[in-house]
C-alpha cells in the first residue's frame, strides 16, 4: 500500500487559515490534493487535520479524512515526522499497513503529479529511506553575510571573500513540497535530512516557501506566470 498524507492543522498564525485560504482560485490545500490524485501513485490520499472546516474542504475535493488529528500533534511545535508516524500507525491499527508513505505539504501549490512520481522512483530505485524535493540556492551560501548588533556587516565565511562564485560548491535546501519515505523510517522517527535520503531536484522557479503575506504574494505571481506559460 502507498499512502499520501497531507498535514493541515487549523492554527496558522502568520497567515490565518492559510491551508484553505484562496490561492489562484482554489483553497490552498486543493493544489496538493489534486497533485496527489493526479500522480496515480497512491491507494489512499488523506488529510491529517484537527480542523473541521479543513476536513470538509479536503473531502469535497477528493481526499479522505479518516481521523481527526489529536491536539498534542496540532500545536505550533508539532513536527512533520511525528504527524506522519501517527497517520501510518492509524492505518496499521486499522488493518492497512502502508509500505511507502508520502508527506505532501498543504501549502505546496507548485507540486505536480510528475514530481511526486519522480520521488517514488527515487525511493524505489535507491537503497534509501527517504526521497524528498530540493532546490539550489540562488546565491553561494559561502559568501553570505550577517548584520551585527552594531548594524554592521560581516561574512559568515570571510575566507571566501575573494573566491569566485563558480569555484564554490553548489548548495541545496529543502523545497518544502513532498517527502517520500518507507513506512519503517517514519515509524522509527528517522530525521529526514541524512545520508539515507536521496534528493529530487526541482528548478528554483517552482519553489517558494509560503510563511508570510509577502511570500504569498510572490508565490501567486510565480504561479500565474507558470500557468500563463503552460497555456500558450
Amino acid at each position: 500500500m502507498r499512502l499520501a498524507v497531507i498535514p493541515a492543522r487549523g492554527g496558522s498564525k502568520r497567515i490565518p487559515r492559510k491551508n484553505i485560504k484562496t490561492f489562484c482560485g482554489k483553497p490552498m490545500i486543493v493544489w496538493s490534493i489534486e497533485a496527489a490524485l493526479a500522480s496515480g501513485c497512491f491507494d489512499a490520499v488523506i488529510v491529517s487535520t484537527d480542523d473541521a472546516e479543513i476536513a470538509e474542504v479536503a473531502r469535497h475535493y477528493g481526499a479522505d479524512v479518516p481521523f481527526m488529528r489529536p491536539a498534542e500533534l496540532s500545536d505550533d511545535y508539532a513536527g512533520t515526522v511525528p504527524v506522519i508516524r501517527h497517520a501510518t500507525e492509524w492505518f496499521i491499527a486499522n488493518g492497512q499497513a502502508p509500505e511507502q508513505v508520502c508527506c505532501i505539504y498543504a501549502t505546496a501549490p507548485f507540486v505536480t503529479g510528475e514530481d511526486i512520481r519522480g520521488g517514488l522512483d527515487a525511493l524505489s530505485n535507491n537503497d534509501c529511506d527517504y526521497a524528498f524535493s530540493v532546490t539550489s540556492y540562488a546565491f553561494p551560501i559561502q559568501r553570505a553575510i550577517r548584520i551585527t548588533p552594531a548594524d554592521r556587516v560581516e561574512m559568515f565565511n570571510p575566507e571566501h571573500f575573494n573566491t569566485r562564485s563558480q569555484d564554490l560548491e553548489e548548495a541545496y535546501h529543502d523545497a518544502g513540497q513532498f517527502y517520500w519515505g518507507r513506512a519503517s523510517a517514519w515509524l522509527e522517527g528517522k530525521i529526514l535530512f541524512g545520508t539515507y535520503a536521496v534528493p529530487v531536484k526541482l528548478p528554483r522557479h517552482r519553489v517558494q516557501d509560503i510563511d508570510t503575506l509577502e511570500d504569498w504574494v510572490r508565490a501567486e505571481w510565480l504561479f500565474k506566470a507558470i500557468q500563463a506559460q503552460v497555456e500558450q
Side-chain angles (χ1 to χ4, degrees), residues 135-148:
T135 197
S136 60
Y137 281 97
F139 188 86
I141 62 171
Q142 300 89 341
R143 293 179 59 80
I145 61 174
R146 64 163 60 91
I147 298 176
T148 71

Side-chain angles (χ1 to χ4, degrees), residues 32-71:
S32 297
I33 292 171
E34 290 182 343
L37 295 172
S39 74
C41 293
F42 302 108
D43 299 293
V45 174
I46 74 160
V47 169
S48 171
T49 186
D50 61 325
D51 186 276
E53 186 180 8
I54 293 175
E56 182 180 355
V57 170
R59 293 188 179 105
H60 179 76
Y61 285 94
D64 293 324
V65 186
F67 56 81
M68 297 301 287
R69 196 196 306 177

Side-chain angles (χ1 to χ4, degrees), residues 146-212:
R146 64 163 60 91
I147 298 176
T148 71
D151 202 30
R152 301 298 176 94
V153 299
E154 61 184 24
M155 292 185 68
F156 281 91
N157 302 107
E159 67 272 19
H160 288 300
F161 177 76
N162 289 314
T163 307
R164 299 185 309 167
S165 295
Q166 58 265 42
D167 295 331
L168 293 169
E169 181 182 359
E170 190 167 25
Y172 293 83
H173 62 86
D174 174 13
Q177 292 191 9
F178 63 86
Y179 311 83
W180 274 101
R182 302 189 190 282
S184 56
W186 294 114
L187 292 170
E188 291 170 19
K190 282 192 173 182
I191 63 171
L192 287 160
F193 305 154
T195 56
Y196 39 77
V198 296
V200 182
K201 296 178 183 178
L202 303 181
R204 287 197 298 267
H205 71 270
R206 286 203 296 109
V207 175
Q208 174 65 48
D209 278 343
I210 306 177
D211 292 323
T212 66

